[in-house]
Amino acid sequence: MHMTGRDPRREDRVASSEITPAAAVLDRRSLIAGAAAAAMLPAAAWADVLRAAASRFSTDEKQTSRQDATSYNNFYEFGTDKGDPATYAGALVTKPWTVRVDGLVDKPADYALDDLIKPFALEERIYRHRCVEGWSMVIPWLGFPLAEVIRRAEPSSAAKFVAFQTLMRPEQMRGQRGFLPVLDWPYVEGLRVDEAMHPLTILAVGMYGETLPNQNGAPLRLVVPWKYGFKGIKSIVRISLVDKEPPTSWNRQAPSEYGFYSNVNPAVDHPRWSQATERRIGDGGLFAKRRPTLPFNGYGEQVAGLYAGMDLKTYF
Amino acid sequence: MAAPVSAARPPAGGSTRSWAPMVPRWTVYVAGLIPAAWALGLGLNDALGAEPIKELEHLLGLWALRFLLAALAVTPLRQLTGVNLLRYRRALGLLAFYYAALHLAVYLLLDQGLDAGAIAADVLKRPYITVGFASFLVLLPLAATSTNGMIRRLGGRAWARLHRFVYLAAALAALHFVLVVKSWPAEPLIYAAACAALLASRAYPAAAAARRGPRT
């Protein structure tokens, strides 16, 4: 089975005793102190090396190259072309960064990013990533369960959904100042509370052993591997517990095409294209074959129960 | 017999008479096929990015649309500026058809791997595929009747009437591009606007000419 397959090399490389609190490694100064560790891994000039424990949720499928995963992106805040985020996201300033956790919680707070993630140990989660456009990747994320952040805020029993919001900063996000906005900014997303609390759902601060590049949603993004990629909201500034289903950006833009749930489902086509198959990025040039898309992106064993009794054609 | 709208006809005046004949028509075909050769070369060298099949498909489709719009621009260009490129219009139209055929071939062979079921479902169920496929079907008889011999056999008037279907093909091609993308990014809308302007230019000069009466 994919999900529980462990890669022994990975276990060797990062023993759990080596786990560093996330906040410490996100601070560039601590990197200098840990230069010996850093020297073992290649790090791009802008990225900090992160250390993380392996996870039983990781797949052992071949990982997408870092080059492809950081240059072929949908992040419309920087333009609609796949190359635009890598070209233009450098303008985004991610330090300092504040995340508001509020809504139906007993302990709302504005966290500096380091303070938000300090209590949690980073894990590496190698997940399949399926875009609604019909392509997929395998990405080694570094993050921690969203559930931990929610628990720390002590949600009230009235909280049924979680609403997320991306930064709104047109002076640094050129896509937000377009003449004809492609989406209603800021980007917003949402999950049901049980989806948000599921152990597969993480907040990522890194990928490929380093902090997130801006084009991949720095400094903090959501990863929900059984849903289409656009649910994985990037550059998060607000996480709110709410009692009603929150609006989501793509659903607002085209309600007949993008539902609130947006679970990967080969049996429910996008109105304009089939979702039965996908193309794995890096699968072999011009003559690569499509792969069948799996229900819940192959995570059905863990998450299908969340939707028991629901008609997934209605709640797409 | 009415004068055929023929690329073989010498340019009817205009400022191009001095230089246009110096550029042989075959150079338009050769230059026009460079983007296809370039894209295919990049593809075979794994240099078309993360999704090479989609990129190749997209580039070929984009050039088909560009040549189609270029062919449609020949007449308004002459009316507005006097620059007469009529003798190259057949080459532009045929290049549009060649690119559309290559675009379709990449879709059928590389994208869908000749999976007949998936292709049939796409053509029937996906409006953007239906529209794109329809555009190609409309171009097919136009390409087949593009020779001087066919113009003679059909007669100029019938040939010209048939070839007005290029307006439909262009509108369908521009719509195909708009429908394939998520949201409303600028690029397909710009092409659609250019197409709309070129089609509108057909309606406007006719109306203006009717108001003016016969030219002297």
Side-chain angles (χ1 to χ4, degrees):
Chain A
M1 200 190 83
H2 295 312
M3 273 62 62
T4 53
R6 288 180 186 219
D7 182 343
R9 287 162 304 162
R10 223 155 263 297
E11 297 275 320
D12 290 343
R13 202 182 78 199
V14 188
S16 54
S17 60
E18 290 181 325
I19 299 168
T20 312
V25 284
L26 278 174
D27 182 343
R28 188 172 281 278
R29 282 163 301 182
S30 72
L31 181 65
I32 297 162
M40 297 177 348
L41 290 164
W46 66 84
D48 293 347
V49 175
L50 299 180
R51 324 220 71 208
S55 165
R56 67 191 175 89
F57 293 119
S58 286
T59 172
D60 53 9
E61 287 170 78
K62 180 172 172 282
Q63 292 176 23
T64 303
S65 74
R66 187 185 189 284
Q67 168 64 24
D68 282 343
T70 57
S71 63
Y72 193 76
N73 306 108
N74 281 322
F75 195 172
Y76 281 16
E77 280 82 344
F78 297 104
T80 54
D81 194 88
K82 295 286 186 296
D84 283 344
T87 307
Y88 300 114
L92 176 64
V93 176
T94 58
K95 289 177 184 177
W97 193 272
T98 306
V99 181
R100 171 165 294 183
V101 181
D102 66 355
L104 301 169
V105 295
D106 288 344
K107 294 186 172 168
D110 286 345
Y111 293 97
L113 182 67
D114 285 356
D115 297 331
L116 177 74
I117 65 185
K118 195 181 291 170
F120 314 124
L122 287 187
E123 287 177 50
E124 182 179 62
R125 298 280 184 100
I126 308 168
Y127 282 162
R128 288 177 293 279
H129 177 86
R130 171 63 157 79
C131 179
V132 74
E133 295 167 348
W135 52 267
S136 62
M137 297 186 180
V138 175
I139 299 176
W141 302 106
L142 302 163
F144 49 89
L146 170 62
E148 301 194 24
V149 173
I150 294 176
R151 273 193 213 103
R152 185 156 57 136
E154 298 181 8
S156 81
S157 59
K160 302 295 183 215
F161 294 88
V162 186
F164 305 85
Q165 188 176 317
T166 293
L167 179 71
M168 176 76 181
R169 194 182 283 167
E171 63 273 23
Q172 291 173 9
M173 301 175 120
R174 68 201 309 271
Q176 290 179 336
R177 44 176 204 258
F179 166 61
L180 291 169
V182 285
L183 290 169
D184 207 0
W185 309 116
Y187 196 90
V188 288
E189 258 304 340
L191 294 172
R192 234 169 43 192
V193 159
D194 58 343
E195 297 175 323
M197 299 298 286
H198 193 278
L200 281 174
T201 304
I202 59 167
L203 287 173
V205 294
M207 61 195 286
Y208 297 90
E210 298 170 354
T211 47
L212 284 174
N214 284 0
Q215 62 267 34
N216 294 89
L220 183 75
R221 66 166 291 164
L222 180 68
V223 178
V224 195
W226 71 92
K227 293 176 180 283
Y228 292 118
F230 66 84
K231 295 292 288 183
I233 185 171
K234 302 184 178 87
S235 304
I236 297 170
V237 293
R238 190 171 181 191
I239 301 171
S240 305
L241 279 290
V242 296
D243 58 350
K244 293 193 179 61
E245 185 181 292
T248 60
S249 284
W250 278 102
N251 178 255
R252 273 198 308 212
Q253 207 275 337
S256 63
E257 300 190 350
Y258 310 99
F260 175 80
Y261 288 94
S262 290
N263 295 318
V264 175
N265 190 343
V268 177
D269 286 343
H270 185 281
R272 290 181 289 143
W273 53 82
S274 167
Q275 295 291 23
T277 60
E278 67 200 49
R279 210 171 273 295
R280 180 67 55 83
I281 301 297
D283 240 358
L286 285 184
F287 304 102
K289 294 248 180 302
R290 287 175 177 275
R291 298 168 176 242
T293 288
L294 303 173
F296 300 107
N297 202 21
Y299 298 96
E301 202 169 307
Q302 290 96 329
V303 302
L306 295 173
Y307 310 100
M310 282 174 68
D311 180 356
L312 298 177
K313 283 188 162 58
T314 306
Y315 297 99
F316 60 91
Chain B
M1 191 179 100
V5 185
S6 162
R9 213 169 96 197
S15 61
T16 56
R17 193 175 265 164
S18 54
W19 59 269
M22 297 193 303
V23 181
R25 290 193 194 91
W26 63 265
T27 58
V28 176
Y29 289 98
V30 171
L33 288 170
I34 287 172
W38 183 254
L40 198 62
L42 288 179
L44 294 175
N45 285 294
D46 203 13
L48 277 179
E51 269 200 288
I53 295 173
K54 194 168 180 190
E55 184 64 15
L56 182 64
E57 202 171 53
H58 173 68
L59 285 172
L60 294 169
L62 194 58
W63 280 100
L65 183 57
R66 285 171 180 167
F67 281 117
L68 203 49
L69 297 183
L72 285 176
V74 167
T75 293
L77 183 71
R78 190 188 51 191
Q79 288 166 339
L80 287 174
T81 69
V83 174
N84 189 350
L85 301 178
L86 194 60
R87 65 194 298 268
Y88 304 111
R89 190 167 67 178
R90 179 191 296 174
L92 294 172
L94 279 173
L95 281 165
F97 173 74
Y98 299 153
Y99 274 92
L102 289 170
H103 173 66
L104 179 63
V106 168
Y107 165 75
L108 296 174
L109 294 171
L110 301 183
D111 192 345
Q112 298 297 336
L114 284 179
D115 179 340
I119 292 165
D122 259 4
V123 172
L124 295 175
K125 279 166 63 183
R126 318 279 164 221
Y128 83 95
I129 303 260
T130 315
V131 164
F133 198 69
S135 177
F136 181 76
L137 290 181
V138 172
L139 285 178
L140 209 53
L142 308 192
T145 58
S146 65
T147 61
N148 289 342
M150 285 306 293
I151 296 170
R152 272 194 302 277
R153 277 167 60 184
L154 287 172
R157 192 181 295 269
W159 185 91
R161 217 170 24 234
L162 173 65
H163 278 244
R164 276 192 208 112
F165 276 100
V166 73
Y167 305 147
L168 177 62
L172 292 170
L175 180 63
H176 171 63
F177 192 13
V178 170
L179 288 177
V180 75
V181 294
K182 290 193 303 185
S183 182
W184 302 98
E187 196 190 11
L189 296 179
I190 291 168
Y191 279 92
C195 182
L198 289 169
L199 297 186
S201 77
R202 267 64 190 181
Y204 176 73
R211 275 199 304 275
R212 271 199 309 271
R215 271 190 219 228
T216 51

